[in-house]
Amino acid sequence: MPTFTAPGGAALDDLGVRLHDGVATLRVWSKNASSVELVVFDETDLDWVTEEADLERGPGDVWEATTPLLQPGTRYALRVGGPHGPGNTFNPETLLLDPYARGLAQGDGYEEWRSVVIEDGFDWGGVEKPRVPLDRTIIYEAHLKGLTKRHPDVPPALHGTYAGLAHPAMIEHFQSLGITAIELLPVHAFVSEPRLLDRGLTNYWGYNTLNFFTPHTAYATEEARKQGPEAVLAEFKGMVKLLHEAGLEVILDVVYNHTSEEGIGGPRSSLRGIDNASYYRQQADGAYIDTTGVGNTLNTAMDAGARLVLDSLRYWAQEMQIDGFRFDLAAALGRDGNHEYSREHPLLTAVRDDPALKDVKLIAEPWDVGMGGWQTGNFPDGWHEWNDRYRDRVRNFWLSDIDYARRASAPVGIGGFATRLAGSSNTFSKERGPLASINFVTAHDGFTLHDLVSYDVKHNEANGEDNRDGADTNRAFNHGVEGPTHDAAINAARRKAMRNLLGTLMLSAGIPMLTAGDEAGRTQRGNNNAYAHDSALTWVNWEHEPWQEDLRAHVATLTRLRSENAALRPRRYARRDVHTPNASVMDWYNQLGEMMEDSQWNDPGNRTLQYVAASTPVDERINRILLIVHGTESPIDITLPASIEGAVKFVSLWSSADERPGVEAEEYAPGDVLPMPGTSMRLFRVE
């Protein structure tokens, strides 16, 4: 097996500060600089310069100095000078952050940040990563602050903090819900854009990274913040350790596609002042090529940019023990020197092949806003992708199709929905299999589950952009009234729609992702782009009405059934007449219990099917399930299949028609006729 070589090779090793022998070596990459200077500050007064030292250019355009000035806790910055001309924005008076800084300290004002020398070290107490198998992974996407900010059993001092996320009350919630991994919205140090601050808003989601190596200080407890960056780092690691002890993985949503420096004229905090012409994609005249929609795009076609990303991932995976990463606008990372996406981009393959990232889960948001930016299904082997095709088809089937059918008739049949249910084999190659798909119905960006069934259109007026921001096409359905209503029939229909969406999510082949709060029907009052609201609008509310507890019980039931039934979580696509280990052999029946005919798949008049999946496990018991899907509002009689080899009974496991999950396992015989309510699902074990 060939030796792995990181972008830039050995010349780019050990960038940032390395402590050794009572001194430190600082290494900074800049191709176009003419001078790089270290500036050291007083520990308490970040405007008081106490020492200065020059760095010297070495091989590979790495500037280096070995000095006793840098010790654990030292506050420092860089000054970088260079030529003027297109693409260059050097200013030797500007104080810049070390891109590889492990700690940050903030003084007064928006740009008053300093790098801090950190002495890495933490007692993990023998706790190891859970390494949950992919087929058993259930992701819970959450905002770290919003998840615990209002939890009544988390002490107020821990609300919205790293320590709060690992509080026993939260761990009990995660375990009772049956999720296996918490995917956190950005926790890399980030800042709010000046335009938001001017409007009295904030960048709540955190997709505006200041530094790729430092945890966001504001998410630490007040006590840790007072003690400084080392204590913040220790609190973060303590959170990971406690979650790992509970068998829960931690996945980070990482934003490497752009930085908080925005477009030309925006803040100059780090990369722009160190080597703007190299670190950001731009045209010959210095105009930025923006494929991210926020002003700048990191140039990963250049070794130093790609290496910055890779080194950051290594640090979080090894030193911080993170289990996986979800890459925001990942297509931007895979653009080559011509700014075109390449599936075999050296960075994408390096992230997959780096031994330091072995067994780390890699999840792409497989698009950006540039030309050719939509790449769902086109990431390298070993990557997993947010499947927007799945999201759209599932929403259509249970929501917009039903809305359309009330005015005319259903626009499409059940074939496309069945393809998504079975693992999206029309999107992902047989080599990658169904686990390449991260299935989701909602995410942080868009309507919550409750709002998806309660609003037809977005209501983003509070964002201050005259309701222009946020997606206009949501495939939502309010079921007859826009927003809250006291109409019992409409509320019942909405609750069932949520159960159908959650049931589809948890019973589909692929890796399911649940958005925090959806298990209890959280609302954002129709705002589908609440990125700028750090308030009760976006914080999870833990005070539930009975129907919300019922919905939560459905989610817990579905995750348990997914775990217990291997047929629901195949690792590979099955092939007819070829035994494929760890696959699920699928057979499809119509409402009469007969094999589906070709003409029925795309017939808008047929939106009912029975789906039998039989597992071919290597390390589990053989398992078979029957799932009935009925996608019209009129009730229907279903004849259970009588031709399934060896089947003598069907044991009822779950029904979306129940307001609360049933407790009795009713049994039916092949050929029995079963009444199905309109728009509902039902799951059986085949024995």
Side-chain angles (χ1 to χ4, degrees), residues 10-33:
L12 296 183
D13 285 351
D14 297 327
L15 294 178
V17 173
R18 293 294 184 273
L19 296 167
H20 58 94
D21 305 318
V23 297
T25 297
L26 170 63
R27 287 165 52 83
V28 178
W29 183 89
S30 179
K31 176 182 178 181
N32 293 302

Side-chain angles (χ1 to χ4, degrees), residues 328-567:
D328 180 63
L329 299 181
L333 302 179
R335 290 183 178 271
D336 60 21
N338 295 319
H339 314 296
E340 297 176 352
Y341 175 80
S342 170
R343 184 177 185 271
E344 298 303 320
H345 189 285
L347 176 59
L348 300 182
T349 55
V351 170
R352 178 197 62 195
D353 298 338
D354 191 341
L357 300 176
K358 188 177 185 297
D359 297 327
V360 169
K361 293 177 169 69
L362 305 174
I363 301 170
E365 182 183 35
W367 52 79
D368 66 13
V369 301
M371 291 290 291
W374 187 72
Q375 295 292 335
T376 304
N378 196 29
F379 269 69
D381 296 354
W383 282 75
H384 314 276
E385 302 175 36
W386 273 26
N387 190 347
D388 56 323
R389 290 180 172 181
Y390 176 95
R391 174 201 63 199
D392 293 349
R393 178 63 73 176
V394 171
R395 287 186 180 189
N396 281 346
F397 186 81
W398 291 118
L399 299 176
S400 55
D401 287 0
I402 303 301
D403 180 23
Y404 191 90
R406 286 189 179 185
R407 300 189 300 273
S409 59
V412 298
I414 203 167
F417 175 84
T419 299
R420 299 301 163 195
L421 191 69
S424 297
S425 60
N426 62 344
T427 301
F428 301 101
S429 67
K430 66 178 182 179
E431 291 78 15
R432 298 180 69 190
L435 296 178
S437 177
I438 303 295
N439 297 333
F440 69 108
V441 176
T442 67
H444 68 276
D445 185 3
F447 279 139
T448 66
L449 182 69
H450 172 277
D451 292 355
L452 194 62
V453 304
S454 304
Y455 296 89
D456 277 353
V457 296
K458 65 186 181 184
H459 296 270
N460 297 355
E461 291 80 5
N463 296 357
E465 300 180 38
D466 298 322
N467 207 36
R468 294 189 302 269
D469 63 305
D472 293 315
T473 303
N474 296 283
R475 296 173 169 83
F477 179 33
N478 67 17
H479 291 83
V481 174
E482 187 74 354
T485 180
H486 294 294
D487 188 306
I490 290 177
N491 284 329
R494 289 174 174 177
R495 292 194 298 271
K496 186 168 62 170
M498 285 190 281
R499 295 192 294 269
N500 284 328
L501 291 164
L502 289 168
T504 303
L505 177 66
M506 292 300 171
L507 303 179
S508 295
I511 299 174
M513 185 186 80
L514 176 70
T515 304
D518 277 356
E519 71 272 17
R522 183 178 77 88
T523 181
Q524 289 180 170
R525 302 198 294 274
N527 192 320
N528 76 348
N529 189 35
Y531 76 102
H533 297 278
D534 185 357
S535 68
L537 179 70
T538 52
W539 302 336
V540 173
N541 186 353
W542 295 90
E543 296 180 1
H544 298 157
E545 298 179 18
W547 72 266
Q548 293 177 289
E549 287 299 319
D550 291 343
L551 188 64
R552 185 182 180 281
H554 273 281
V555 174
T557 297
L558 287 163
T559 58
R560 174 179 56 81
L561 292 172
R562 183 179 181 85
S563 175
E564 293 173 351
N565 292 276

Side-chain angles (χ1 to χ4, degrees), residues 10-86:
L12 296 183
D13 285 351
D14 297 327
L15 294 178
V17 173
R18 293 294 184 273
L19 296 167
H20 58 94
D21 305 318
V23 297
T25 297
L26 170 63
R27 287 165 52 83
V28 178
W29 183 89
S30 179
K31 176 182 178 181
N32 293 302
S34 59
S35 65
V36 179
E37 185 180 22
L38 166 67
V39 184
V40 176
F41 298 88
D42 180 76
E43 183 176 350
T44 58
D45 185 348
L46 297 185
D47 291 323
W48 181 8
V49 176
T50 60
E51 302 282 354
E52 300 175 355
D54 292 330
L55 279 68
E56 295 184 359
R57 186 193 294 268
D61 296 313
V62 174
W63 298 73
E64 182 175 310
T66 297
T67 173
L69 296 177
L70 295 174
Q71 298 295 326
T74 299
R75 275 66 171 156
Y76 71 102
L78 305 171
R79 290 193 185 119
V80 182
H84 296 283

Side-chain angles (χ1 to χ4, degrees), residues 91-257:
N91 184 336
E93 301 302 316
T94 304
L95 295 169
L96 303 169
L97 291 174
D98 175 2
Y100 281 74
R102 269 40 170 185
L104 297 179
Q106 184 178 17
D108 297 327
Y110 176 79
E111 295 179 303
E112 294 299 313
W113 291 91
R114 304 290 181 259
S115 304
V116 180
V117 179
I118 296 294
E119 187 172 24
D120 289 331
F122 182 78
D123 182 6
W124 291 95
V127 176
E128 297 183 353
K129 295 182 179 182
R131 293 183 171 84
V132 178
L134 288 166
D135 67 305
R136 290 186 172 274
T137 297
I138 300 175
I139 298 171
Y140 188 70
E141 190 204 33
H143 188 283
L144 185 136
K145 178 178 182 179
L147 190 58
T148 63
K149 180 64 178 175
R150 304 178 73 182
H151 199 295
D153 297 327
V154 174
L158 304 186
H159 281 170
T161 68
Y162 300 122
L165 187 72
H167 186 272
M170 295 307 305
I171 289 176
E172 188 280 329
H173 170 69
F174 300 143
Q175 292 178 329
S176 68
L177 203 57
I179 59 101
T180 69
I182 298 96
E183 180 178 305
L184 296 174
L185 267 65
V187 296
H188 286 177
F190 65 87
V191 292
S192 294
E193 297 88 334
R195 65 178 178 81
L196 290 179
L197 297 174
D198 290 343
R199 300 207 309 263
L201 298 172
T202 183
N203 190 320
Y204 173 66
W205 287 350
Y207 292 88
N208 201 44
T209 309
L210 178 68
N211 178 271
F212 295 141
F213 289 82
T214 310
H216 192 56
T217 301
Y219 291 158
T221 57
E222 182 179 3
E223 179 181 356
R225 295 198 305 270
K226 287 180 178 178
Q227 294 177 24
E230 290 274 15
V232 172
L233 199 62
E235 184 177 318
F236 184 95
K237 293 178 179 179
M239 173 194 73
V240 175
K241 178 180 178 180
L242 289 171
L243 292 171
H244 282 177
E245 282 183 329
L248 297 162
E249 294 187 315
V250 181
I251 298 172
L252 300 186
D253 192 334
V254 286
V255 188
Y256 293 117
N257 57 80

